[in-house]
Amino acid sequence: MSAPAITVVGSINLDLVGRGERLPTPGETVLGAMFAQHPGGKGANQALAARRLGADVSMVGCIGDDANAEAALALLRADEVDLTHCRVSTTAPTGVALIAVSEAGENQILVAPGANAELSLSDLPEDIDGALIAQFEVPLKTVAVAAKRTNGLVCLNLAPAMEVEEDLLRRADLLIVNETEAAFYGRDRLLSFNKMVALTLGGDGAVLFDKGSEVASARPPATRVVDTTGAGDTFVAALTVALLEGADAEKALMFACAAGARAVTIEGAQPSLPSRQSVEEILRGKAV
Ligand code: RIB
């Protein structure tokens, strides 16, 4: 079986992470956090996750002409994600995400999009052969045109939640939301599009619907939660890869849940994205 071809249109960030005992409340200062920086951005995370799970991946994105850019691209380069369609902006800095992570692994994320906000139609390939994965940390107009130019499966991760033209939702073949996003868009409304819709439920797993009816549900294996950052991105990539490989709904959803479960056991977004082998070991009950 040849590797699925996936183009990801999305954000590339450098994640500046403070890990402390708990998340601060508004106006509060919490001392004693440990600092780390990791490559991130929903687009880049999903691209790298798909690559590590065996897909041929091309990333369409925009970074700044600054030191953060190389740090943000380092793991995409190391795993040979095709960066031909990543542009260097001369006017905006590389996107940055300020992330607070608690001891329980929960996070709060504030994103300064920088160059991601400049990703435009002229950055897109004329035709996108194969599948597309996109999210909403880059301009919606660019995502909408990318979806129209794609001749394969279009997977939209509707994150972060925002008002979206109905045409774009209708063009997608697979919509992926978490519980907060499902409440924002309206679960029944999403199901009414008669597409595949995956609803993630955190530690409780995920449910997959097709044409409005539930076709699969899965629970991830129990894990020690270290950091949930990037787990949703892993799920998006893994579900897309499994469906492109021809897995049935149950198997594809279990694969995606196992990949997400593995991602929460390691700190950072991109450092935690699992290899194909590690996900298969989880599915064989060998490890998490
Ligand atoms: O989904 C996690 C990602 O959201 C982080 O890597 C951060 O960069 C933000 O885009």
Side-chain angles (χ1 to χ4, degrees):
M1 182 177 40
S2 62
I6 299 178
T7 296
V8 177
V9 172
S11 56
I12 301 168
N13 292 335
L14 186 64
D15 291 352
L16 306 182
V17 185
R19 190 181 176 87
E21 191 188 333
R22 61 188 174 78
L23 301 177
T25 56
E28 188 192 19
T29 300
V30 175
L31 271 180
M34 297 297 288
F35 173 75
Q37 74 177 41
H38 306 288
K42 292 189 195 306
N45 296 346
Q46 292 173 19
L48 185 61
R51 178 73 189 135
R52 287 188 179 163
L53 293 171
D56 279 339
V57 182
S58 169
M59 175 83 212
V60 180
C62 192
I63 63 277
D65 184 11
D66 52 28
N68 284 350
E70 273 317 301
L73 294 174
L75 296 183
L76 293 172
R77 280 197 208 290
D79 268 310
E80 298 180 347
V81 170
D82 180 357
L83 301 178
T84 311
H85 291 282
C86 285
R87 177 169 62 85
V88 179
S89 164
T90 52
T91 51
T94 300
V96 167
L98 306 175
I99 305 183
V101 181
S102 72
E103 246 172 32
E106 289 174 319
N107 64 36
Q108 281 174 337
I109 305 182
L110 188 65
V111 175
N116 294 304
E118 285 192 356
L119 192 71
S120 69
L121 306 191
S122 58
D123 295 314
L124 294 172
E126 277 308 311
D127 298 298
I128 296 179
D129 267 335
L132 171 76
I133 300 179
Q135 338 65 32
F136 299 155
E137 288 184 336
V138 294
L140 282 177
K141 175 82 186 144
T142 308
V143 172
V145 172
K148 283 192 184 135
R149 291 185 186 177
T150 300
N151 63 18
L153 180 128
V154 172
C155 167
L156 288 184
N157 173 211
L158 308 185
M162 63 180 70
E163 295 300 334
V164 183
E165 298 266 338
E166 199 139 311
D167 266 6
L168 174 57
L169 299 178
R170 289 194 186 285
R171 169 61 192 94
D173 301 293
L174 169 63
L175 301 169
I176 303 182
V177 286
N178 65 20
E179 289 169 283
T180 311
E181 291 145 7
F184 176 89
Y185 295 103
R187 181 179 173 278
D188 290 346
R189 178 171 165 251
L190 293 177
L191 295 183
S192 76
F193 291 124
N194 279 335
K195 309 288 183 184
M196 278 186 285
V197 176
L199 170 62
T200 61
L201 306 167
D204 289 331
V207 187
L208 185 62
F209 301 86
D210 194 10
K211 299 185 184 66
S213 303
E214 183 177 322
V215 290
S217 65
R219 284 186 77 85
T223 50
R224 192 171 71 87
V225 180
V226 174
D227 183 354
T228 55
T229 314
D233 298 326
T234 308
F235 178 94
V236 169
L239 183 60
T240 306
V241 168
L243 290 171
L244 290 172
E245 288 176 348
D248 64 26
E250 286 285 349
K251 283 207 171 103
L253 197 65
M254 196 56 224
F255 183 77
C257 284
R262 170 75 183 174
V264 304
T265 64
I266 297 167
E267 281 184 33
Q270 290 185 20
S272 74
L273 304 177
S275 65
R276 180 81 185 214
Q277 189 191 340
S278 66
V279 177
E280 283 171 355
E281 279 171 6
I282 293 171
L283 292 172
R284 287 198 301 269
K286 283 204 165 157
V288 174

